[in-house]
Amino acid sequence: MQAESPAIRIVKGACPHDCPDTCALKITVENGRAIKVQGAADHASTHGALCTKVSRYPERTYHPERLLRPMRRVSRKDEAPRFEPVSWDEAMSDIAARLKPIAARDPEAILPYSYAGTMGMVQGEGMAARFFNKLGASRLDRTICASAGGAAMNATYGHRLGMHLRFYAESRLILIWGSNSIASNLHFWTYANQAKRNGAKLICIDPRKTETADKCHQHIALLPGSDGALALGLMHELIRNGWLDQDYIDNYVDGWDELRERALQWPPERVAEVCGISPEEVRGLARDYGTTSPAAIRLNYGMQRVRGGGNAVRLIALLPCLTGAWRHRAGGMLLTASGWVAPFKNVDGLEKPELLAGRTPRMINMSTIGDDLLRESSAGFGPKIEAVIVYNSNPVAVAPESPKVVKGFQREDLFTVVLEHFMTDTADLADYVLPATTQLEHLDVHASYGHTSVLINEVAIEPVGEARPNTEFFRLLAARMGFDDACFAETDEQLARQAFTSEIDFEALREQGWQDLPLADAPFANGGFRTPSGKALAGGADFVPNYESRASTPELAARYPLAMISPPARNFLNSSFVNVKSLRDIEGEPILEIHATDAVSRGIADGSMVRAFNDRGSYLCKASISPRARPGVVNGLGVWWRKLGAAGSNVNEVTHQRLTDLGRAPSFYDCLVEVAPA
């Protein structure tokens, strides 16, 4: 470790991004400038390693295109964006002046739009939630990534709970289901690779032959949206071959008789037809899972981005209950561990719901923002949306069916304020863009949804230019709106000290940089799920087919015969890092992976420009004839900023706004297209 000197400091940090790893950081600062970001070697799950993206965080912080001053729009929204710099004082005065008459008419005409641009509890929804509660603005249903899977876990285990990350190293079989772990969950892959070296079998279940699939012993390339059918097929074989832990089922599973009857309707031949795989693959996977102990499943969120995603998660989460895998600390499954930290969070203390004063504002689903921005006032919908404040998100790039999202944000009568680091697609359509601090420039505290420790992020450097934390924007705006409650004067440190319950010692957290939660190694060895009965709940779980597929919509599939998924490009994280040149140079340009069989029949050459299109829109990009795509499925790697695309669009040009069976989430990967030479 580099010794500190008066000019060099080492600052404790935490990665803020939407990733299960939530790494502990070690930030080297020399003469007030961050020169290096590394993983903390003594944090168990980080173990000194960072992904390529976050290791280049100084490049992002000091990026030449970083927003340094408040900017006010001077062009129309339907023409090339032009902005002029203004002072913070002038911007805040004008923003408040624009919001006050809207709030006087109906505060529900004002909408916050945010997600996980930072996962921090302070810079995320702390002061922001206080402001919007006091205002009485519309509430945002934050569904765009994980709510289908979260609702499924709640319905099955009673909360979003799973096994400990580190114990995957001891598993003898690991099913990596719907996860490109090497790209999106690097520290899990470290443990999985350790298990592999110790003789464990790794099986990847994913429509795309990912970098992770390359490193596994087997890849099962099922069709998008068929995961629930595969889970039922595995259950069928577990039942028929007696590979069940009947004692665990009898004591710790409710609804088994109903689930058993359902599973027996799914023999391998039926499963194979729905999933686009062979009956032998179903039987072999069931044999591996039913006869290997301890066996573990690592789910990720890609597989729940279809109409039946919630039920698919429910069915997969029940598999370790049927085999008794939960008896072992290296058995079970993990989609999200966020439920473990929930009892230690002081959400009400941070967000102050009492500021609503008994009001219950309407809820707007962030996944249907394209439709909702275009709605007029009505008895069913409520007031037309007249103002949006966007922070920690880039909806014009990431929300589904982006032609409608663009049209909504282009409304001249919509007042839009965006807090950002860069001029994103959404910032281009704003009335005001205000420079926000990065993780190196503000204080925050973090929980994780992939491991079981909480972390602190200390201020490493002074804000670049005139950047200010999200919290400061909402403090200033609250004052301009006349909100004089004492809670709006609280500092970031006061917020951070309130974020957790007393079981988390803030001083100890600050000293070490993180604190592990006190949890059992094998949390469900003897049941103890967070349901009222303490048992896993199996009743009602079933396969739900896609909105769009050859089986469910044959007439649509006749016109648009290719299923399209849009997994993240390896070197981006949602729409973050897309403008970091060194990372974009690695990615190259937006591509659509297509199997050779599908390409040849369409006259598509490798590297040629193609259109992926359906009734919703057309996406222009470069074709990559690749074994990573299975026949009948194309992979549109995302999420590129629209303005960096070949025709000013990205893959969300063709996705739709219909929601999942559970959790009201988007169905990004439930999408039919045709592809043709451009």
Side-chain angles (χ1 to χ4, degrees), residues 518-539:
L519 301 171
D521 283 359
F524 305 126
N526 300 297
F529 296 95
R530 294 274 182 86
T531 60
S533 66
K535 299 181 180 182
L537 305 180

Side-chain angles (χ1 to χ4, degrees), residues 342-415:
F344 299 93
K345 286 184 173 181
N346 180 26
V347 176
D348 285 355
L350 267 184
E351 299 187 359
K352 305 291 185 189
E354 63 270 20
L355 292 169
L356 282 166
R359 296 168 294 178
T360 55
R362 67 175 174 185
M363 186 79 77
I364 299 291
N365 192 323
M366 69 186 308
S367 299
T368 59
I369 190 66
D371 281 340
D372 291 337
L373 284 178
L374 298 174
R375 297 186 198 277
E376 297 296 328
S377 299
S378 69
F381 179 64
K384 182 177 182 177
I385 298 171
E386 297 184 54
V388 183
I389 299 178
V390 180
Y391 53 105
N392 302 333
S393 189
N394 182 11
V396 173
V398 304
E401 201 169 352
S402 56
K404 288 185 176 180
V405 183
V406 171
K407 187 176 180 181
F409 275 101
Q410 282 181 331
R411 284 172 38 203
E412 290 294 344
D413 65 339
L414 179 72
F415 181 59

Side-chain angles (χ1 to χ4, degrees), residues 538-618:
D542 198 2
F543 170 66
V544 177
N546 279 6
Y547 287 111
E548 300 184 359
S549 71
R550 287 183 179 274
S552 57
T553 53
E555 292 183 2
L556 185 69
R559 291 190 291 136
Y560 305 118
L562 297 173
M564 189 195 76
I565 61 174
S566 45
R570 180 172 181 175
N571 292 285
F572 304 153
L573 202 160
N574 302 324
S575 74
S576 296
F577 298 97
V578 178
N579 65 319
V580 175
K581 186 178 185 302
S582 63
L583 296 172
R584 197 165 71 241
D585 286 347
I586 298 171
E587 284 299 325
E589 58 189 311
I591 63 168
L592 186 81
E593 295 173 340
I594 185 169
H595 191 271
T597 302
D598 295 322
V600 169
S601 66
R602 289 165 173 79
I604 293 170
D606 187 51
S608 64
M609 297 302 293
V610 295
R611 289 188 310 118
F613 61 95
N614 55 27
D615 292 338
R616 293 178 290 273
S618 177

Side-chain angles (χ1 to χ4, degrees), residues 14-17 25 27 34 37 56-63 66-68 117-118 123 392 419-422 434-444 446 457-470 492 577 579:
C15 178
H17 291 290
L25 306 180
I27 303 154
V37 174
R56 304 188 188 203
Y57 211 84
E59 182 181 347
R60 187 172 187 273
T61 299
Y62 299 117
H63 195 290
R66 175 87 185 271
L67 275 167
L68 301 178
T118 175
Q123 305 301 336
N392 302 333
L419 314 186
E420 254 301 351
H421 305 135
F422 302 100
L434 302 176
T437 47
T438 68
Q439 189 74 346
L440 304 186
E441 300 159 295
H442 57 229
L443 178 70
D444 218 329
H446 292 258
N457 182 81
E458 301 279 12
V459 177
I461 60 173
E462 290 296 315
V464 176
E466 297 179 24
R468 298 191 182 187
N470 291 345
D492 285 6
F577 298 97
N579 65 319

